[in-house]
């Protein structure tokens, strides 16, 4: 049976290669899944940096020929012909941090690129060592599939600086290249998101103020198109409503947080699991009526 592949790799002007949807993709649909080519324990970087490159080269050279060829075709960001340097740079610029008991780095196919308002998210399945990419909103045929290399809840200047320092490119997505007045409006929303999140996390707010802030926070995430991380806003809203004894609204937002969190972080994410506990029984959750307790 032929696998239904929802994308193709195309050359896009000014972007080299890009992943483009070949059909409509529903929110929550898995777009692709792949296992890591190589996994590097960060303890190696810390304790045996002098032998790390040799270990990386040995691992890549041991891959099957076709797999090895595909790996070496990934971007190094800088041209290099030296074999060990090429392998090291590919790991550096095409890897993802994975949080287990220790932090690991798994090299994956680098087919999606940064966009401020990405339409896809990814997470790593520690049971199968599989890297999964899911649509976080509906994606239409012909649309580029994008994800984010960095925390998208940043102003345009902050995003640009981090991308240039870490990834050595200037983002040209519509959000980052729009007119100055539109960038200013977007930045104002982002700054308000940051402020609201800080206030809600501190927890020292009057109930009506806290729930009003939580509703505004969700609206700002939607206005900014931050579907990749909107589970953060839903979670804060669920906690605020549960904290004042509004279980049905708490369950509503916990369920929304679960739905979006699974797409971007996976079922085993601790915040997804906590929201599942809240949605199942808000009265037994640690946040129940917490706003009536001092120093919540």
């Amino acid at each position: 049976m032929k696998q239904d592949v929802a994308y193709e790799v195309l050359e896009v002007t000014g972007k080299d290669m890009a992943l483009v949807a070949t059909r409509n993709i529903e929110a929550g649909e898995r777009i692709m899944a792949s296992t890591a080519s190589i996994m590097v324990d960060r303890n190696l970087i810390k304790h045996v940096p002098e032998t790390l490159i040799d270990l990386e080269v040995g691992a890549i050279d041991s891959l099957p020929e076709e797999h090895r060829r595909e790996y070496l075709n990934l971007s190094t960001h800088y041209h290099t012909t030296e074999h060990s340097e090429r392998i090291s740079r590919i790991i550096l610029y095409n890897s993802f941090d994975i949080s287990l008991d220790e932090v690991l780095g798994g090299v994956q196919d680098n087919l999606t690129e940064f966009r401020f308002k990405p339409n896809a998210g990814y997470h790593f399945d520690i049971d199968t060592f599989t890297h999964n990419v899911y649509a976080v909103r509906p994606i239409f045929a012909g649309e580029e599939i994008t994800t984010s290399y960095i925390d998208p809840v940043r102003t345009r200047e902050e995003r640009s600086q981090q991308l240039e320092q870490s990834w050595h490119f200037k983002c040209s997505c519509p959000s980052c290249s729009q007119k100055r007045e539109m960038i200013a409006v977007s930045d104002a929303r982002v700054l308000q998101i940051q402020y609201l999140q800080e206030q809600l996390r501190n927890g020292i707010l009057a109930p009506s103020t806290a729930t009003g802030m939580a509703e505004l926070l969700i609206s700002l995430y939607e206005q900014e198109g931050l579907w990749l991380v909107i589970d953060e806003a839903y979670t804060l809203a669920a906690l605020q409503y549960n904290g004042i004894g509004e279980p049905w609204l708490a369950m509503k937002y916990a369920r929304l947080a679960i739905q979006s969190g699974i797409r971007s972080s996976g079922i085993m994410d601790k915040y997804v699991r906590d929201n599942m506990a809240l949605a199942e029984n808000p009265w037994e959750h640690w946040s129940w009526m917490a706003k009536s307790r001092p120093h919540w």
Side-chain angles (χ1 to χ4, degrees):
M1 182 176 178
K2 187 176 180 181
Q3 185 179 5
D4 178 23
V5 178
Y7 60 86
E8 59 183 339
V9 182
L10 298 176
E11 189 169 348
V12 176
T13 303
K15 293 186 179 181
D16 198 11
M17 308 305 291
L19 209 64
V20 178
T22 55
R23 60 169 175 80
N24 292 345
I25 302 172
E26 297 296 326
E29 183 178 342
R30 188 169 73 170
I31 299 170
M32 67 169 71
S34 61
T35 53
S37 298
I38 181 174
M39 300 186 73
V40 181
D41 190 327
R42 283 195 178 275
N43 285 317
L44 292 174
I45 301 172
K46 180 179 179 180
H47 297 295
V48 289
E50 67 281 355
T51 61
L52 179 60
I53 291 181
D54 291 337
L55 292 171
E56 291 172 344
V57 171
I60 297 304
D61 285 348
S62 298
L63 292 173
E65 182 59 32
E66 184 177 353
H67 190 162
R68 180 173 172 273
R69 227 177 11 251
E70 290 181 357
Y71 173 88
L72 292 173
N73 196 43
L74 293 173
S75 172
T76 59
H77 279 260
Y78 296 104
H79 177 71
T80 177
T81 57
E82 208 280 314
H83 184 58
S84 62
E85 183 182 4
R86 180 171 185 78
I87 286 175
S88 182
R89 285 189 176 278
I90 288 173
I91 291 174
L92 178 63
Y93 291 113
N94 297 273
S95 62
F96 294 86
D97 284 342
I98 304 164
S99 297
L100 306 175
D101 292 332
E102 298 171 305
V103 180
L104 303 172
V107 173
Q108 308 294 339
D109 295 329
N110 186 30
L111 296 178
T112 51
E113 68 169 46
F114 170 81
R115 181 160 292 188
F116 171 44
K117 299 176 182 177
N119 53 33
Y122 58 83
H123 65 264
F124 193 79
D125 185 335
I126 63 174
D127 293 322
T128 62
F129 278 12
T130 303
H131 182 82
N132 301 280
V133 179
Y134 285 85
V136 297
R137 64 160 175 79
I139 302 172
F140 299 102
E143 185 179 354
E144 186 179 353
I145 299 172
T146 59
T147 191
S148 180
Y149 294 166
I150 62 174
D151 178 3
V153 188
R154 296 287 184 270
T155 64
R156 191 234 189 211
E157 183 62 27
E158 290 170 336
R159 298 193 306 270
S160 297
Q161 288 181 1
Q162 187 172 353
L163 287 169
E164 290 195 49
Q165 289 172 4
S166 301
W167 300 93
H168 308 294
F169 73 87
K170 188 181 294 291
C171 184
S172 60
C173 79
S175 297
C176 291
S177 57
Q178 60 188 333
K179 292 182 178 180
R180 283 184 300 175
E181 55 267 29
M182 296 304 294
I183 289 174
V185 170
S186 174
D187 284 350
R189 284 195 294 259
V190 168
L191 290 172
Q192 191 167 35
I193 286 172
Q194 293 173 351
Y195 171 78
L196 291 170
Q197 288 184 156
E198 181 181 1
Q199 294 298 308
L200 290 169
R201 287 167 181 162
N202 287 339
I204 309 174
L205 296 166
S208 61
T209 300
T211 53
M213 282 184 167
E215 294 288 351
L216 174 58
L217 181 65
I218 291 170
S219 176
L220 290 170
Y221 266 80
E222 292 171 344
Q223 291 173 54
E224 280 298 285
L226 296 171
W227 305 109
L228 178 65
V229 290
I230 198 171
D231 56 300
E232 298 176 22
Y234 290 144
T235 296
L236 286 170
L239 293 175
Q240 299 307 318
Y241 279 113
N242 213 42
I244 63 171
E246 290 280 359
W248 312 114
L249 285 170
M251 284 190 280
K252 168 189 172 180
Y253 287 116
R255 292 292 182 192
L256 287 168
I258 294 165
Q259 181 183 44
S260 57
I262 287 176
R263 297 169 186 170
S264 59
S265 305
I267 190 69
M268 297 307 296
D269 178 76
K270 64 180 181 179
Y271 297 109
V272 171
R273 306 297 290 186
D274 190 56
N275 275 300
M276 291 174 75
L278 193 162
E280 185 67 25
N281 190 340
W283 301 275
E284 295 296 325
H285 191 262
W286 63 265
S287 63
W288 175 249
M289 294 299 292
K291 298 292 283 187
S292 64
R293 302 194 295 266
H295 308 300
W296 181 58

